[in-house]
Amino acid sequence: MLIQANSQTTNDEQFILLKLQQNWQNQPPMNSWHSSFPFCNWTGITCHDGSVTAISFYNWNITGKIPPVICNLENLNHLDLAYNYVTGEFPTFLYNCSKLIYLDLSQNYFAGLIPGDIHRLSRLTYLNLGFKPSTTSPVTSRRQLDFYQT
């Protein structure tokens, strides 16, 4: 008998994606996601070896907060939510996305402070928070998120 440790089943990942769809109120193009189709073929989802590795919802007009359930996708390494209407403070639960190497949250409606422990996203090789630095304050000392808003 072969036992795989720390691996999710296809049903687990599909359930997590459907919870994500529910949390974001079935906004397009998530409204095209159906359990009768393989989730690796759903719009915005990328898989490797049958497991979700990337979510790219670039410019989808997503509104609301990022649901914490997103980090239940154990192999998620790429998250692109740029150019949406995501709100709230920086989602520190993203620290639980242990394989995340790419994170783009630019051009949203975040507010608040960049957490002092953002370094906990230690695997990141790309991070875009999309704030405009003040002309009087260097980026290295700027702690307030001023995300670009159109």
Side-chain angles (χ1 to χ4, degrees), residues 2-142:
L2 177 65
I3 298 175
Q4 292 180 323
N6 297 326
S7 66
Q8 290 180 313
T9 67
T10 299
N11 289 340
D12 292 340
E13 290 195 329
Q14 182 174 342
F15 177 78
I16 293 165
L17 290 171
L18 290 172
K19 288 297 283 180
L20 185 65
Q21 178 189 42
Q22 179 184 18
N23 278 291
W24 269 325
Q25 301 171 344
N26 202 27
Q27 298 177 57
M30 282 183 279
N31 60 356
S32 68
W33 294 2
H34 296 285
S35 59
S36 58
F37 299 108
F39 62 84
C40 288
N41 295 333
W42 292 355
T43 305
I45 302 301
T46 302
C47 295
H48 180 73
D49 290 334
S51 184
V52 176
T53 57
I55 296 177
S56 183
F57 294 170
Y58 178 89
N59 200 22
W60 275 20
N61 295 315
I62 299 291
T63 60
K65 295 181 178 183
I66 301 171
V69 70
I70 204 165
C71 289
N72 291 350
L73 296 165
E74 292 176 357
N75 294 306
L76 183 67
N77 62 43
H78 180 111
L79 180 58
D80 186 350
L81 298 176
Y83 289 89
N84 283 288
Y85 299 93
V86 179
T87 59
E89 294 184 355
F90 181 86
T92 56
F93 61 79
L94 290 176
Y95 300 163
N96 298 323
C97 295
S98 61
K99 295 187 179 176
L100 205 57
I101 59 172
Y102 181 103
L103 179 60
D104 192 340
L105 300 178
S106 64
Q107 312 306 324
N108 278 286
Y109 291 89
F110 290 101
L113 299 176
I114 297 173
D117 61 350
I118 197 166
H119 66 277
R120 290 180 56 193
L121 292 167
S122 60
R123 295 186 117 198
L124 285 183
T125 58
Y126 180 88
L127 173 64
N128 188 351
L129 299 179
F131 65 92
K132 292 182 176 183
S134 166
T135 57
T136 60
S137 174
V139 176
T140 55
S141 68
R142 190 154 173 86

